[in-house]
Amino acid sequence: MPDPVRVPAADLPPGAVRRAGDWAVGNADGRLFAVSRRCRHQLADLSAGSIDADGCLVCPWHQSRYDVDTGDMVSGPRGLLGYHGPAPVYAQLVRVLGRVVPLRVRRALRRGEEVVVLD
Ligand code: FES
């Protein structure tokens, strides 16, 4: 059995997101989560994302938002490639894709001084 993926708990204060192997591990106001790292839009690294006021993980490139409990994309991108701005029809199309292929979700638990991603 492989070793679980870990992040030092001190690196994960509320509001933080960190990279842990293939996972973006975060702390949404005390609620730990782990989701797969690649955005369903254009594969940005979600471990470089942020957590919004609703507890959603926000992609760093075009701000698609993800439910960290289900992996569903709850709102689509605000742009594409190098364009950053409104694109409502395109955002809806991408959101449909995000629902068909949600992010993978794993449990993340604090164990001592570490946060561990469980299989
Ligand atoms: S790559 Fe994530 S929203 Fe575009």
Side-chain angles (χ1 to χ4, degrees):
M1 176 183 260
D3 281 343
V5 177
R6 306 162 191 276
V7 178
D11 291 350
L12 214 54
V17 184
R18 298 288 181 260
R19 177 180 179 173
D22 294 337
W23 305 97
V25 180
N27 181 341
D29 227 4
R31 197 165 46 95
L32 299 171
F33 67 85
V35 296
S36 49
R37 279 185 30 226
R38 294 295 166 194
C39 181
R40 294 308 189 226
H41 178 222
Q42 291 180 328
L43 306 178
D45 186 347
L46 294 171
S47 70
S50 58
I51 300 171
D52 70 10
D54 297 325
C56 291
L57 177 59
V58 181
C59 177
W61 285 4
H62 309 105
Q63 290 73 51
S64 286
R65 298 169 61 244
Y66 291 92
D67 181 320
V68 296
D69 294 322
T70 64
D72 289 338
M73 184 185 285
V74 296
S75 59
R78 296 181 189 167
L80 65 152
L81 299 174
Y83 169 70
H84 297 265
V89 173
Y90 178 71
Q92 286 297 329
L93 289 172
V94 174
R95 188 170 168 222
V96 169
L97 171 66
R99 285 189 168 176
V100 173
V101 189
L103 300 178
R104 291 175 293 142
V105 176
R106 293 290 184 273
R107 286 198 318 149
L109 295 177
R110 182 167 178 156
R111 285 190 179 155
E113 299 303 313
E114 297 179 316
V115 173
V116 177
V117 177
L118 302 177
D119 278 333

